[in-house]
Amino acid sequence: MTYRAPLADIGFALKYGAGLKPAIEQGLFGELTLDDVDAILAEAGRFAGEIIAPLNRVGDTYGTPFKDGAVTTPPGWKEAYQAWRSGGWNGLAAPSAWGGQALPQTINAACTEMWHSASVAFADGPMLTMAAIDALEAHGSDALKRTYLEKLVSGEWMGTMQLTEPQAGSDVGALRTRAERAADGAYRITGQKIFITYGEHDLTDNIIHFVLARLPDAPPGTRGISLFLVPKFLLNADGSLGARNDVRAHSVEHKLGIHGSPTCTMIFGDSGGATGFLIGEENGGMAAMFTMMNRARLAVGLQGVGVAECATQQALAYARERRQGRTAGMKPGEPAPIIAHPDVRRMLLTMRALTQAARAICYTTAMALDRAERSAETGARQAAYHQASLLTPVAKAFSTDIANEVASLGIQVHGGMGYIEETGAAQLFRDARIAAIYEGTNGIQAVDLVTRKLPLADGAAVAAHCDQLRGIVRELDASNDPAFGWTSVRLADAVESLSRATSWLLARLDQEPDAALAGATPYLRLFGLATGGCLLAKEALATMRLGGDAAARLAVTRFFAENFAVQAGGLERTVVECAQGVLGADAALSVP
Ligand SMILES: Cc1cc2nc3c(=O)[nH]c(=O)nc-3n(C[C@H](O)[C@H](O)[C@H](O)COP(=O)(O)OP(=O)(O)OC[C@H]3O[C@@H](n4cnc5c(N)ncnc54)[C@H](O)[C@@H]3O)c2cc1C
């Protein structure tokens, strides 16, 4: 499968959409320059396109055979992983104290998109390792950090994230894996986890599992969950690999997509309990796991952007080559390339516009994380933290929803050839599907947005967000450029729909929570459309200011406003009117 990193689009969205350029000028990232950014992106793009992308189809067809408790990764993957980690990509944004490069999360976000464009299955493992690094750095003891962080940051060892059990999926609080305090100060872990990404593999000689478990005297639900670091191999006093820990993969799932990513059932405690080391406080595991999950949620959103970008590139290339029929006014003879047909143009523009909007949302979220970590003033850090918290479920769910839509359109543009595996469009469609499910389903993201993120700072975080969007619309109005068509009117309507739907939901959260939850998913879509549309406009305005050729960005912004932002009014009505129809629809659901 071919993939060429869209370096110009990515660089522009980073610098002018997400605001990396002003952040660098303000000195947020020390000595980092825009030239450095370009050089990093170019090298990441080269690696993704030349080294990883050619392995994507191999991973799909070979899978991850499982024999005698061991997983074999697809041919060429080990070498590619070693080259990738030797390039320092795993520790790009990790702290320098542990061998990382401490570069902005924003740059890491762009690279994450590229790894996922090249191969979701390949990028899945490193994505979780990076999230594990964040959790250990933020919550681990000094001793654990000294022992494990350097090897995780360098990618010599990979990490896993282990929440799910058969009876505990979305409801993490229902988990039963047990942790007993041991005399040596460690814990003995027993239980079963399912669906664990890269739970077993041969890419690294140790695997560090981050496992949620419950102590015998723990309170019920999520207040009684602790996080443990459980290495596949225990370490000798000198840090070398020692005895095999009491944890093993029992099986590997057969699944719709991401065949190169081993999804394992894990068994802890066949022989008395796996040795685990507590991260953070006893019963404080959810806080630590949320650090890990939030990073992983943004990364899964970027996975969506990556797949959508790749599907768009592939569909565009096909639409330029494939000839069928004629367009109005064409003379008989050579048929037209299908890109000339209005309906195909509509599909391609939809793919491009949704992808760029999702990219803008994800990069803006990453920039908020950078500002939350690095801003000089406490108030600015706090505001940025709230912005990142608010945007994370939108980045995850909006981007992965559109990835599914875009990958499906990718097949449609190919016609019958899209349904045939050899073209690669079908693999993208299959690989995209999981992103709306793992790291918290998109339904759970919508619940999180409505119940936990809207009330942040008494509603001030979401109010500030709407004000920022209004500021972009005002700028658009002032630009007075006829090429924008109805863009500013459509975006202004979308932002006001978002604002009114937000107030409606906030007013119902306490008294009528089910009414609010019934509209959570359409609300998240409304949030994504209003935000994505305004961020595209921000990028288009920046292109015009810079005096460059703004035609492409203007066209995408206008298309998005006229075809997608315009849906905001309908979504607002759904949010405020759907509760009765959803909650009182037993009759419809009782039909067998
Ligand atoms: C390929 C793959 C890789 C995975 N990797 C990992 C991993 O590395 N680590 C890990 O711990 N887990 C992993 N998972 C598990 C994944 O995170 C869960 O599948 C996911 O969280 C959903 O849980 P579930 O499958 O039990 O679905 P359920 O929780 O049973 O949900 C079923 C449906 O009900 C909805 N639903 C459930 N509860 C609510 C609610 N309260 N409000 C609204 N809707 C609700 C959901 O949105 C969903 O549509 C992976 C799964 C797969 C398939």
Side-chain angles (χ1 to χ4, degrees), residues 128 161-164 169-170 194-197 255 258 263 434 437-441 443-444 447:
L128 292 173
M161 176 177 181
Q162 308 213 11
L163 294 83
T164 307
S170 301
I194 61 168
F195 298 159
I196 300 308
T197 298
K255 48 196 196 294
I258 55 166
T263 307
I434 185 59
I437 296 172
Y438 57 18
E439 283 313 323
T441 63
I444 294 296
V447 171

Side-chain angles (χ1 to χ4, degrees), residues 355-376:
T355 304
Q356 291 193 357
R359 176 181 290 134
I361 293 172
C362 287
Y363 290 5
T364 301
T365 309
M367 177 48 77
L369 286 171
D370 278 325
R371 288 196 176 276
E373 262 174 39
R374 302 183 191 231
S375 291

